[in-house]
């Protein structure tokens, strides 16, 4: 469904009842990367999965999509729905950056946190330069070169060779993001702050989920985050890469289900 949120019209899925879990997708994706979780976890929780601005069916705007802006959009979505009870926030990749911004601004709204295939550190100087190159590529050549370059890094080699339907699904999701969305995301990620100092201050139940074949976020970073977040839980899914919730949905959902049951039900 679509509703007015801040200065945009936002699309979101809303299914199930009980504890609200807000799933925030990454770059350059949309809410459909959470379809296995919408289908598989709505029996124990209320699953809310929006398209961020400029992604999927949500309205695009010009300029930088800072992580604070995207967190503000998510908070405003909760206000408009409305959801007043504390939520569990689950962020994938860039959605994890948005989740950390949400904690800085709206910690009182959170009951729990799930960070998956993401990092706390800011971009290195090389990463910032690569973001700028990608922005220029989108401006000059469109989004297809970005999709072609990124797609092999999002899925495991086994999935790339044996599951053409999933590869095609991910490509279609990436094609749903507007050029403004690509550029806005890249600018926002390039300029995001280092969230590492925030990690020891997180005092809610926290689950980290990573794939052991992730080519974008090394497991060493996952383990470092785990060591800094008090009483956090780290789950590693074998044979999964960056989009682990799509590649290994049963394993991912079981981990999330157990976390929810243990801490909130």
């Amino acid at each position: 469904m679509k509703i007015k949120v801040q200065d945009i019209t936002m699309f979101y899925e809303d299914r199930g009842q009980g504890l609200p879990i807000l799933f925030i997708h990454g770059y350059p994706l949309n809410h459909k990367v959470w379809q296995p979780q919408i289908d598989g976890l709505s029996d124990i929780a209320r699953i809310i999965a929006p398209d961020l601005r400029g992604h999927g069916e949500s309205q695009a705007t010009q300029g930088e999509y800072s992580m604070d802006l995207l967190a503000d959009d998510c908070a405003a979505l909760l206000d408009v729905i409305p959801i007043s009870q504390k939520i569990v926030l689950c962020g994938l990749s860039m959605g994890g950056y948005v989740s950390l911004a949400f904690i800085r601004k709206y910690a009182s709204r959170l009951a729990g946190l799930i960070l998956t295939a993401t990092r706390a550190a800011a971009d290195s100087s090389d990463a910032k330069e690569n973001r700028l190159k990608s922005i220029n590529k989108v401006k000059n050549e469109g989004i297809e070169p970005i999709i072609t370059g990124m797609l092999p890094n999002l899925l495991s080699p086994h999935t790339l060779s044996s599951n053409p339907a999933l590869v095609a699904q991910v490509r279609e999701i990436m094609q749903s993001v507007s050029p403004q969305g690509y550029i806005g995301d890249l600018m926002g990620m390039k300029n995001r702050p280092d969230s590492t100092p925030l990690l020891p201050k997180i005092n809610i139940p926290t689950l980290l989920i990573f794939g052991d074949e992730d080519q974008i976020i090394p497991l060493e970073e996952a383990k470092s985050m785990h060591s800094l977040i008090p009483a956090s839980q780290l789950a590693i899914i074998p044979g999964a890469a960056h989009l682990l919730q799509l590649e290994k949905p049963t394993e991912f959902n079981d981990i999330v289900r157990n976390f929810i049951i243990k801490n909130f039900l």
Side-chain angles (χ1 to χ4, degrees):
M1 62 187 72
K2 289 185 177 181
I3 57 173
K4 186 72 173 178
V5 172
Q6 300 210 107
D7 60 332
I8 61 167
T9 300
M10 176 177 276
F11 177 89
Y12 70 102
E13 289 278 357
D14 187 348
R15 192 186 305 178
Q17 297 180 349
L19 174 72
I21 307 178
L22 179 63
F23 285 88
I24 307 179
H25 63 75
Y27 158 86
L29 305 166
N30 66 29
H31 79 279
K32 292 182 180 179
V33 297
W34 298 116
Q35 198 62 53
Q37 288 66 54
I38 296 169
D39 295 337
L41 294 170
S42 58
D43 61 320
I44 63 163
R46 182 176 178 181
I47 308 301
I48 301 162
D51 287 341
L52 298 174
R53 66 171 61 213
H55 301 70
E57 298 183 53
S58 289
Q59 185 178 349
T61 55
Q62 298 291 336
E64 178 179 337
Y65 295 1
S66 71
M67 301 304 102
D68 280 1
L69 173 62
L70 298 178
D72 290 342
D73 286 346
C74 290
L77 173 64
L78 298 177
D79 290 338
V80 176
I81 290 178
I83 293 177
S84 58
Q85 73 190 97
K86 291 188 176 185
I87 68 163
V88 172
L89 186 59
C90 178
L92 166 73
S93 193
M94 184 188 76
Y97 309 156
V98 177
S99 298
L100 292 168
F102 194 101
I103 294 171
R104 282 193 293 270
K105 302 191 73 173
Y106 306 104
S108 64
R109 303 190 74 157
L110 295 181
L113 177 66
I114 303 171
L115 298 172
T116 182
T118 193
R119 58 165 52 99
D123 274 0
S124 66
S125 57
D126 287 345
K128 288 177 186 289
E129 183 62 30
N130 286 334
R131 303 275 195 210
L132 291 173
K133 290 178 181 177
S134 294
I135 289 170
N136 288 329
K137 183 166 290 189
V138 173
K139 289 179 178 178
N140 295 324
E141 303 176 43
I143 65 174
E144 284 299 326
I146 304 295
I147 294 172
T148 299
M150 278 192 68
L151 190 51
N153 294 323
L154 296 177
L155 300 167
S156 69
H158 177 75
T159 296
L160 290 169
S161 63
S162 66
N163 195 340
L166 182 55
V167 175
Q169 179 188 357
V170 173
R171 176 177 287 275
E172 182 178 354
I173 289 171
M174 296 172 77
Q175 289 170 334
S176 78
V177 181
S178 67
Q180 299 100 312
Y182 274 81
I183 293 169
D185 285 352
L186 288 162
M187 293 172 63
M189 289 188 290
K190 179 179 76 71
N191 295 329
R192 76 184 190 279
D194 183 2
S195 292
T196 305
L198 174 67
L199 301 184
K201 302 175 185 177
I202 297 175
N203 59 0
I204 53 177
T206 300
L207 170 64
L208 309 174
I209 316 177
F210 287 76
D212 70 349
E213 295 189 24
D214 194 328
Q215 300 179 59
I216 297 175
I217 310 290
L219 280 181
E220 289 73 17
E221 291 195 51
K223 293 174 181 177
S224 176
M225 291 173 64
H226 172 48
S227 71
L228 291 171
I229 301 174
S232 60
Q233 173 188 345
L234 173 61
I236 299 172
I237 300 180
H242 199 62
L243 298 185
L244 62 170
Q245 85 292 348
L246 283 176
E247 286 192 290
K248 300 287 184 178
T250 299
E251 293 88 339
F252 187 95
N253 286 359
D254 285 348
I255 292 166
V256 172
R257 180 180 295 271
N258 290 335
F259 174 72
I260 296 301
I261 291 173
K262 175 184 176 182
N263 291 284
F264 307 107
L265 299 182

